[in-house]
Each structure stands twice: as C-alpha cells, then as structure tokens.
Amino acid sequence: QKGFLKRKAHADIDGKRTPWGKRSWKTFYAMLKGMVLYLQKDDYGKDCQSSEEVVSVHHALAERALNYTKRPHVFRLQTADWRVFLFEAASTEQMNSWIGRINLV
Ligand code: I3P
C-alpha cells in the first residue's frame, strides 16, 4: 500500500495534545511495509533532501475520523504508544484501503 497522504498530528506519546505550531497538515508519500508506515516528506524544493518518518502500526487502530468534518475522507490512526494522527487520503476508496491494510497488521 502506497500513496500520498496528508497528515495532522493530534496527540503525541501517551496521548498528550500535540502543541500549537506542530498541528498543521503536511503532505507525505506514505508506504506501509509490514508493521511500519514510512512517511516521506517531499523537501526536495527546499534543501534537496527528503526526510522520512517511521510510525509503527503494530497494535495500532485506524478508523474513519467521523468527528473531524473540516476535510473529507480523513482517517484517524491511534498507535500503541497512544499517539494520534489524522490522515487525509485522496479519495474515500483510498481511505478505506489504508484503514483496512493498517488494521490487518
Ligand atoms: C494548526 C494548523 C492546523 C489546525 C490546528 C492549528 O496550527 O492551523 O491546520 O488544524 O488547529 O493548531 P499550527 O500550524 O500552528 O500547528 P485544522 O486544520 O484541523 O483546523 P487545532 O489546534 O484546532 O487542531
């Protein structure tokens, strides 16, 4: 499973609210391999490098973010260490595909 996702950090480790200034939406190229979600940020225009974040989806839960109505086809990912991210997919179909794959792990 791969594709572009926009991500918003909602809660950090142990469920602590992600502070102001770190809650904005960012675009990543996402790849799910095994139990790991790789998020590559496209920084090429800025410094000719791309940065990557790694999120373990082992014991994570993905579900449609029904409470979040500002954007369409957004899903919520809660990790085993109690972080919460919102991810905006390009379509409802892609959102459902990500949710299914993440919850299969
Ligand atoms: C956040 C940014 C997000 C916004 C979030 C802001 O500011 O504007 O887009 O979420 O609101 O805190 P910053 O870039 O300084 O982190 P929404 O797009 O969902 O409104 P929030 O604090 O209510 O989550």
Side-chain angles (χ1 to χ4, degrees):
Q1 175 90 14
K2 15 178 114 162
F4 285 97
L5 287 176
K6 288 181 180 153
R7 186 196 69 181
K8 174 184 174 175
H10 183 80
D12 298 338
I13 286 176
D14 295 333
K16 288 187 188 127
R17 188 184 191 278
T18 302
W20 307 106
K22 294 186 175 174
R23 302 176 62 86
S24 60
W25 287 94
K26 290 189 181 116
T27 301
F28 293 89
Y29 188 72
M31 266 179 289
L32 185 64
K33 288 186 197 164
M35 292 190 273
V36 177
L37 181 64
Y38 295 89
L39 297 168
Q40 286 180 315
K41 194 150 91 205
D42 179 11
D43 283 340
Y44 285 104
K46 213 163 62 184
D47 53 9
C48 297
Q49 279 189 334
S50 72
S51 52
E52 186 175 64
E53 282 184 47
V54 173
V55 177
S56 168
V57 298
H58 188 47
H59 291 161
L61 175 69
E63 61 186 5
R64 185 161 200 177
L66 289 170
N67 294 335
Y68 190 82
T69 51
K70 290 181 190 175
R71 290 170 181 239
H73 24 85
V74 172
F75 66 95
R76 180 183 192 277
L77 177 71
Q78 174 136 38
T79 63
D81 56 6
W82 235 246
R83 287 183 285 169
V84 178
F85 299 108
L86 298 180
F87 286 100
E88 182 190 356
S91 65
T92 303
E93 212 172 48
Q94 285 187 27
M95 175 194 72
N96 286 331
S97 176
W98 281 107
I99 291 172
R101 291 301 181 94
I102 289 168
N103 289 336
L104 265 184
V105 169

